[in-house]
Amino acid sequence: VVIADMQVEKGEAVAQEIGGAFVKCDVSSEADGQAVVAKAVSLGKLMGLVNCAGIAPAEKTVGKSGPHVLATYTKTIMVNLVGSFNMIRLAADAMSKNEPESTGERGVLISTASVAAYDGQIGQGGVVGMTLPIARDLSRNGIRNMTIAPGIFGTPMLFSMPKDVQDALAAGVPFPSRLGKPEDYAKLAQHIFENDMLNGEVIRLDGAIRLAPR
């Protein structure tokens, strides 16, 4: 396993814990993405990619201080959307050179969106829309492309919020009424890797929550 992240100390710690490797990576950088894929290929057959990079600065199209800051929008698109596609295209290129498995597949790609893509949260969307086109595009290469859309998950981004806000968000999940955990995501990712009929789809992982506009 290759861990690719901007946080060197934490990334190296995780890599050491699982016996993997770490590469510092800005997913919106072509050179960084290439370095990650090259490292993975040097260790063996690259069969899977999980995109989890994302930032979430929410702004209204027009707010009290004027129009949405274009630089903020551009940075978000570069990380969340372009970054996901950058890693997909580079990993898929390496996978396409693999000898196919008995199922005919050469690799699996998983990206992370959000239930906000469906529930209309301010400033969200993008990854869901490219899931099916990429799956169809890569079908000739024997590469599957899927997306997971988590609901309210306990991530560093969420833990930066006040505790009362975290508790209110958790209480809003119908069942189970808790924050999602990394292992919830991991179990679904593992199943996607193992089930070769899953392709070109977005799976909500949200405890039946539906988000308010903001």
Side-chain angles (χ1 to χ4, degrees):
V1 175
V2 176
I3 305 295
D5 201 288
M6 294 288 286
Q7 302 177 80
V8 176
E9 188 174 333
K10 291 181 179 180
E12 288 179 340
V14 172
Q16 184 173 4
E17 180 183 345
I18 64 174
F22 173 77
V23 177
K24 185 179 180 181
C25 176
D26 171 355
V27 293
S28 65
S29 162
E30 180 166 21
D32 284 8
Q34 289 170 335
V36 172
V37 172
K39 182 64 175 180
V41 171
S42 75
L43 298 175
K45 188 175 181 179
L46 176 55
M47 286 296 295
L49 167 74
V50 180
N51 275 322
C52 285
I55 56 176
E59 289 185 36
K60 292 184 177 181
T61 307
V62 178
K64 294 179 181 178
S65 58
H68 191 302
V69 177
L70 189 58
T72 307
Y73 181 84
T74 302
K75 182 178 180 181
T76 304
I77 292 296
M78 284 301 296
V79 174
N80 298 10
L81 191 58
V82 176
S84 295
F85 182 71
N86 183 39
M87 298 308 299
I88 283 172
R89 71 188 184 92
L90 295 172
D93 180 56
M95 291 173 180
S96 68
K97 299 176 176 66
N98 290 339
E99 285 297 316
E101 300 295 304
S102 59
T103 58
E105 64 183 337
R106 291 184 169 88
V108 182
L109 308 161
I110 299 175
S111 291
T112 307
S114 167
V115 294
Y118 295 102
D119 296 349
Q121 285 261 298
I122 292 171
Q124 307 290 328
V127 174
V128 168
M130 68 182 184
T131 303
L132 182 58
I134 290 174
R136 288 172 165 171
D137 188 21
L138 295 176
S139 61
R140 63 177 181 175
N141 302 103
I143 299 170
R144 295 188 286 118
N145 185 60
M146 290 285 293
T147 294
I148 297 173
I152 307 298
F153 266 62
T155 65
M157 191 183 299
L158 187 139
F159 290 141
S160 67
M161 298 178 181
K163 185 64 166 60
D164 59 333
V165 174
Q166 295 179 38
D167 293 343
L169 288 170
V173 182
F175 186 80
S177 294
R178 62 170 175 81
L179 299 176
K181 301 176 182 178
E183 50 264 43
D184 297 324
Y185 184 103
K187 285 187 285 189
L188 179 54
Q190 180 178 344
H191 182 73
I192 290 172
F193 282 127
E194 294 173 348
N195 189 334
D196 60 358
M197 274 303 289
L198 286 174
N199 194 16
E201 184 56 271
V202 183
I203 301 176
R204 292 182 67 127
L205 186 64
D206 61 12
I209 197 171
R210 295 297 181 268
L211 302 178
R214 60 180 177 178

